């Protein structure tokens, strides 16, 4: 289990990380999201024991990272941001070093080396010095180093940064395949990655946790959550709008091209209702589908709020609170 | 222990991964042999000893050991690899000691490579082996103390040039305090003899000179070991933040 309790990091009078708390169990993949400078990397550096926190504690596998750093670090694999590596070593030398410093014996290390070089596709550059590698390959070396000892806890700061689309896909697959027996934290700016891999999302802005929930719950905050898009063949009846308005669960109805964007009143599932209405009215339906939702839009709304405050309320409640505040 | 060995190995072999190591070894050999020759009149003296070689060592060390020590921590900080190192299961103490030992082994290698000198002298005459052995022993100890200072300096900045300059300044101070010319200058300023002597006790030169003469005294050993240990302890504190 990775546990972070009220982690705070201050640089002078500036609070880079402000009381970040969460718990992560084996099997969890936590996606860390947030705008640039939000404090993601700083939080990770504190969890991995590189930066001492100003206050608060973190523990890995039950070992406090401050008081029992060696035990905690033994269980950790860490891919730092922008992969710092010993540039003058070759890939093989570096990975051997990483294995040795973790106390692996030669047999186990060589087996692990073969494994990670295969999954990170490093065989062809094994004797090349790291400084001569391209950025993506350096990132792979960092990745290989992080998983070499098959750690129970993995912390990865932007693991797919700098990789080509194929490699990105492979790394995502790799991470997902490791999930069952590990607890993984990764940060990213690519929101599809979170949807594809993570079962938890933490959005952090200005050092504070804004939300901590599943990607599906996060999507529920989307203004178009459960909205449907109805497209009719030309020459549909004029009474469509009135009929739609009469369905009790339907809220706002917007005209959109030759169709309609239909919002639920309180986030209910309205697709079957709309479908019934269409059949009853014998409308020439061309398509009826859920409105496309993008995590980006949720992210933007959450992090661009003038004063993004930590909040755990659902969107509907939020709206009513805003009304109260406005009044 | 395993991790100490692996850091030591990486660091020591690291010197040879760049041409810097070979340049360093060449410059060291030329300087340490050349200075006594051209400045000290090595072969004009009739003594079949290595005094003149040893006398110049503190000055050779003054520039060359900071050149070895400056990269110890500055480079890790600059390139960010200390983030990797300190998230591995090693303590700061282990890392500091391992890297120090690697640097010390490298410098000791350079010192050992000057051995052809006493061998030449032995061939030419009948040297007194006692001072040669104690002198070499002293040189290696002294190199460790220099390197301790340099390691500390290099942990304080990620800029190698600044680290080099700080190291040279500190080492220079520790050389000057025991340099006869400087001591006489202090005495001529009417400073009390006791004070000058006390200050001289903090110098590399004072303690090294007695070893060059063939004396191995506890207080000299104590000086070199304690100075080294003191610097490394500070070094650890600096890195632990
Ligand atoms: N050594 C430092 N001194 C002062 N401020 C710092 C230091 N390190 C980080 N910060 C500040 O802390 C804040 C958080 O930085 P951090 O690197 O954690 O952001 P991030 O969320 O990882 O951003 P990105 O998405 O760009 O990687 C930033 O405002 C940064 O400027
Ligand atoms: Mg970052």
């Amino acid at each position: 289990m990775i546990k972070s309790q009220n982690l705070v990091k201050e640089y002078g009078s500036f609070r880079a990380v402000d009381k970040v708390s969460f718990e992560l169990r084996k099997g969890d993949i936590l996606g860390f999201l947030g705008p640039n400078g939000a404090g993601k990397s700083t939080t990770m550096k504190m969890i991995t024991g590189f930066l001492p926190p100003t206050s608060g504690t973190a523990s890995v596998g039950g070992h406090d990272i401050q008081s029992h750093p060696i035990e905690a670090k033994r269980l950790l694999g860490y891919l730092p941001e922008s992969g710092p590596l010993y540039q003058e070593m070759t890939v093989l030398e570096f990975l051997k070093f990483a294995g040795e410093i973790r106390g692996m014996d030669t047999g186990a290390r060589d087996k692990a080396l073969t494994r990670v070089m295969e999954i990170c596709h490093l065989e062809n550059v094994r004797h090349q010095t790291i400084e001569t590698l391209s950025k993506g390959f350096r990132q792979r070396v960092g990745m290989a180093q992080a998983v070499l000892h098959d750690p129970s806890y993995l912390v990865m700061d932007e693991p797919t940064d700098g990789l080509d689309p194929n490699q990105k896909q492979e790394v995502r697959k790799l991470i997902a395949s490791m999930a069952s027996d590990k607890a993984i934290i990764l940060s990213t700016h690519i929101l599809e990655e979170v949807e594809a891999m993570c079962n938890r999302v933490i959005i952090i802005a200005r050092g504070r946790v804004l939300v901590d929930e599943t990607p599906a719950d996060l999507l529920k905050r989307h203004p178009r959550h459960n909205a449907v898009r109805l497209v009719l063949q030309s020459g549909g009846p004029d009474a469509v709008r009135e009929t739609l308005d009469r369905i009790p669960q339907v809220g706002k109805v917007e005209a959109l091209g030759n169709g309609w964007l239909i919002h639920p009143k309180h986030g209910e599932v309205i697709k079957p209702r709309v479908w019934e209405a269409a059949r009853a009215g014998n409308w020439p339906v061309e398509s009826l589908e859920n409105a496309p939702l993008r995590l980006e839009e949720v992210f933007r709304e959450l992090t661009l709020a003038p004063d993004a405050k930590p909040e755990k309320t659902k969107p509907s409640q939020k709206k009513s609170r805003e009304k109260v505040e406005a009044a | 222990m395993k991790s100490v060995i692996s850091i030591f190995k990486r660091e020591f072999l690291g010197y040879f991964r760049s041409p810097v190591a070979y340049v360093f070894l060449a410059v060291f050999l030329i300087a340490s042999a050349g200075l006594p020759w051209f400045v000290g009149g090595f072969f004009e003296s009739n003594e079949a000893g290595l005094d003149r070689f040893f006398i110049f060592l503190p000055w050779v060390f003054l520039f060359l050991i900071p050149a070895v020590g400056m990269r110890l921590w500055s480079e890790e900080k600059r390139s960010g690899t200390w983030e990797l190192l300190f998230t591995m299961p090693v303590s700061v103490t282990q890392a500091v000691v391992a890297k120090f030992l690697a640097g010390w082994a490298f410098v000791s290698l350079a010192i050992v490579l000057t051995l052809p000198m006493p061998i030449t002298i032995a061939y030419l005459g009948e040297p007194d082996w006692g001072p040669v052995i104690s002198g070499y022993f002293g040189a290696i100890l002294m190199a460790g103390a220099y390197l301790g200072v340099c390691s500390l300096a290099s942990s304080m900045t990620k800029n190698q040039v600044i680290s080099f300059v700080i190291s040279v300044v500190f080492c220079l101070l520790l050389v000057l305090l025991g340099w006869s010319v400087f001591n006489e200058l202090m005495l001529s300023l009417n400073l009390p003899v006791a004070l000058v002597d006390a200050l001289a006790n903090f110098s590399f030169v004072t303690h090294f000179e007695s070893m060059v003469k063939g004396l191995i005294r506890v207080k000299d050993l104590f000086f070199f070991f304690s100075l080294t240990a003191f610097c490394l302890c500070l070094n650890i504190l600096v890195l632990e933040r």
Side-chain angles (χ1 to χ4, degrees):
Chain A
M1 192 159 85
I2 297 183
K3 203 165 169 180
S4 154
Q5 275 175 311
N6 287 320
L7 279 180
V8 172
K9 183 72 195 176
E10 283 172 355
Y11 292 109
S13 62
F14 172 70
R15 248 187 195 205
V17 173
D18 192 4
K19 298 210 180 112
V20 168
S21 304
F22 59 86
E23 263 178 42
L24 200 66
R25 276 162 224 291
K26 285 199 179 173
D28 280 351
I29 306 188
L30 168 65
F32 235 35
L33 299 179
N36 291 130
K40 303 180 295 291
S41 301
T42 309
T43 306
M44 290 182 161
K45 285 175 191 180
M46 289 192 282
I47 291 170
T48 52
F50 175 64
L51 270 186
T54 308
S55 69
T57 58
S59 69
V60 176
H63 305 288
D64 187 280
I65 194 77
Q66 289 299 106
S67 58
H68 296 88
I70 305 288
E71 290 84 347
K73 287 171 187 176
R74 208 164 267 147
L75 303 174
L76 263 177
Y78 177 42
L79 174 67
E81 192 172 25
S82 68
L85 301 164
Y86 292 107
Q87 299 285 335
E88 73 286 355
M89 299 176 102
T90 67
V91 172
L92 193 61
E93 281 168 346
F94 174 73
L95 291 178
K96 274 186 176 166
F97 166 70
E100 254 172 49
I101 199 170
R102 293 193 171 277
M104 299 169 83
D105 58 50
T106 321
R109 187 196 66 190
D110 288 346
K111 237 195 232 155
L113 272 178
T114 319
R115 180 178 61 89
V116 297
M117 295 233 262
E118 195 188 311
I119 58 179
C120 298
H121 300 280
L122 290 169
E123 291 103 334
N124 292 330
V125 295
R126 59 200 296 165
H127 294 301
Q128 211 171 322
T129 51
I130 292 172
E131 61 195 344
T132 65
L133 294 177
S134 70
K135 179 178 172 184
F137 271 91
R138 268 181 245 158
Q139 184 75 2
R140 295 187 211 176
V141 175
M143 186 83 194
Q145 162 278 128
V147 299
L148 183 68
H149 52 297
D150 197 19
S152 313
Y153 303 94
L154 251 182
V155 178
M156 291 179 285
D157 205 344
E158 303 190 22
T160 56
D161 182 40
L163 298 178
D164 66 52
N166 299 339
Q167 269 297 312
K168 274 201 173 96
Q169 200 55 45
E170 284 210 34
V171 165
R172 283 174 206 160
K173 257 197 259 161
L174 173 67
I175 293 174
S177 73
M178 290 187 301
S180 58
D181 59 342
K182 292 189 202 314
I184 302 178
I185 304 182
L186 57 93
S187 76
T188 179
H189 290 297
I190 305 173
L191 299 178
E192 299 97 73
E193 272 180 2
V194 173
E195 290 183 279
M197 288 188 282
C198 302
N199 57 6
R200 248 176 89 188
V201 192
I202 285 185
I203 296 186
I204 164 170
R206 296 185 203 105
R208 298 195 196 161
V209 174
L210 297 185
V211 289
D212 176 356
E213 56 196 14
T214 63
D217 282 340
L218 191 61
L219 271 179
K220 287 194 191 139
R221 293 168 180 270
H222 198 291
R224 288 203 301 276
H225 175 65
N226 276 343
V228 294
R229 200 172 127 78
L230 172 71
V231 179
L232 300 183
Q233 280 157 15
S234 51
D238 300 329
V240 169
R241 180 167 209 136
E242 287 74 48
T243 319
L244 287 173
D245 277 339
R246 252 179 272 126
I247 304 175
Q249 292 91 340
V250 164
K252 201 167 63 165
V253 177
E254 289 173 72
L256 197 78
N258 56 341
W260 308 91
L261 182 63
I262 308 154
H263 295 266
K265 215 172 231 157
H266 300 293
E268 309 93 323
V269 181
I270 52 167
K271 201 169 168 187
R273 303 280 157 280
V274 175
W275 189 235
E276 276 166 21
R279 258 209 319 228
N282 229 351
W283 300 342
V285 175
E286 186 167 298
S287 68
L288 174 67
E289 55 202 14
N290 288 326
L293 301 184
R294 307 232 338 259
L295 217 43
E296 259 93 1
E297 289 151 337
V298 185
F299 179 81
R300 202 162 49 216
E301 191 184 321
L302 281 168
T303 56
L304 282 185
D307 184 30
K309 283 200 193 105
E311 48 102 3
K312 297 255 149 51
T313 47
K314 291 270 172 278
S316 52
Q317 286 165 296
K318 196 180 97 192
K319 275 198 194 104
S320 59
R321 197 180 60 198
E322 272 165 4
K323 268 184 211 142
V324 172
E325 274 168 4
Chain B
M1 194 57 210
K2 230 176 179 172
S3 44
V4 172
I5 295 172
S6 63
I7 299 176
F8 173 88
K9 246 174 51 188
R10 199 204 73 74
E11 193 72 26
F12 184 74
L13 296 177
Y15 286 108
F16 297 95
R17 287 204 181 94
S18 71
V20 177
Y22 302 98
V23 172
F24 171 84
L25 289 175
V27 172
F28 180 80
L29 292 181
I30 292 168
S32 62
L35 280 178
W37 190 315
F38 293 109
V39 186
F42 188 49
F43 286 97
E44 281 146 40
S45 72
N46 289 323
E47 314 152 32
L50 279 176
D51 300 30
R52 269 146 214 279
F53 162 69
F54 285 130
I55 289 305
F56 284 100
L57 269 191
W59 300 96
V60 175
F61 282 5
L62 184 55
F63 292 99
L64 288 182
I65 294 194
V68 172
M70 67 182 184
R71 68 188 280 280
L72 277 177
W73 290 104
S74 303
E75 176 63 15
E76 295 259 358
K77 282 189 159 184
R78 189 197 54 77
S79 67
T81 44
W82 67 323
E83 185 169 350
L84 210 56
L85 186 63
F86 288 138
T87 49
M88 302 268 189
V90 286
S91 66
V92 176
T93 310
Q94 286 173 325
V96 166
V97 169
K99 280 169 87 81
F100 167 79
L101 289 178
W104 198 19
F106 179 69
V107 178
S108 303
L109 173 72
I111 295 172
V112 167
L113 287 179
T114 62
L115 274 176
M117 282 228 252
I119 293 168
T120 311
I121 293 184
Y123 183 73
L124 294 176
E126 193 55 29
D128 187 355
W129 285 109
V132 172
I133 293 168
S134 74
Y136 266 96
F137 181 54
I140 288 177
L141 278 189
M142 180 167 71
Y146 271 85
L147 195 65
V149 174
C150 300
S151 178
L152 171 60
S154 109
S155 69
M156 295 190 288
T157 167
K158 60 176 155 192
N159 184 322
Q160 294 201 22
V161 177
I162 294 177
S163 147
F164 179 82
V165 172
I166 296 177
S167 305
V168 171
V169 168
F170 271 95
C171 291
L172 181 64
L173 194 68
L174 290 171
V175 169
L176 284 185
L177 288 177
W179 189 35
S180 50
V181 178
F182 190 71
N183 288 351
E184 273 154 32
L185 180 76
M186 285 198 288
L187 288 174
S188 71
L189 291 174
N190 283 331
L191 290 178
V193 179
L195 177 69
V196 175
D197 277 354
L199 284 178
N201 258 323
F202 284 100
S203 171
F204 295 127
V205 178
T206 316
H207 297 278
F208 182 53
E209 269 172 355
S210 76
M211 299 190 86
V212 171
K213 290 187 193 119
L215 297 171
I216 297 185
R217 295 184 303 186
V218 173
K219 73 176 216 189
D220 300 327
L221 300 184
F222 179 76
F223 170 77
F224 287 127
F225 280 122
S226 58
L227 177 62
T228 313
F230 176 71
C231 288
L232 293 185
C233 286
L234 283 186
N235 189 344
I236 292 164
L237 287 182
V238 169
L239 289 176
E240 271 175 351
R241 290 153 296 168

